[in-house]
Amino acid sequence: MKKLILKKEETAVKGKMFEGKVVSVGMKNTIIVELSFSHVHPLYKKQIRKTKRVAVHSEDAAIKVGQFVEIIETRPLSRTINFKVVRVVMK
């Protein structure tokens, strides 16, 4: 099991981790992150790309649109929020 250090405390990572692009920062403590996935169709061998937009809890107000962030799956924090920001990957 992976270990993750958040705010000077070590916690075990139980959920999945993703990396995505920030597409909206219009809400307080919440950002919208777009996750991109690609796979090959088993029969036609065509590359298929899918995107998914998820609401993410973020206490860092310095995150801006266009940045790449690493997020982790958590318990439900609200009706739509099931992820937290771990760190900003690229500015």
Side-chain angles (χ1 to χ4, degrees):
M1 187 180 304
K2 292 183 183 177
K3 296 277 185 183
L4 179 68
I5 298 173
L6 292 174
K7 296 185 182 180
K8 298 181 182 177
E9 54 191 52
E10 194 173 289
T11 59
V13 175
K14 294 184 180 179
K16 295 179 182 178
M17 295 183 78
F18 298 101
E19 191 174 302
K21 184 178 180 181
V22 178
V23 293
S24 174
V25 292
M27 297 167 275
K28 182 180 177 184
N29 291 338
T30 304
I31 60 175
I32 304 297
V33 175
E34 188 172 70
L35 305 175
S36 297
F37 305 97
S38 65
H39 68 280
V40 178
H41 191 279
L43 178 62
Y44 300 114
K45 309 299 186 224
K46 182 179 178 180
Q47 191 81 9
I48 299 171
R49 284 188 308 214
K50 291 190 176 195
T51 59
K52 185 171 188 169
R53 292 166 56 112
V54 294
V56 180
H57 180 73
S58 170
E59 295 176 358
D60 185 10
I63 295 177
K64 301 203 179 342
V65 174
Q67 292 180 332
F68 284 86
V69 293
E70 191 173 88
I71 61 175
I72 187 169
E73 189 176 25
T74 62
R75 65 177 177 84
L77 301 172
S78 73
R79 180 178 165 192
T80 58
I81 301 175
N82 293 316
F83 293 92
K84 279 187 179 179
V85 172
V86 175
R87 66 186 176 99
V88 177
V89 177
M90 187 172 55
K91 294 186 178 191

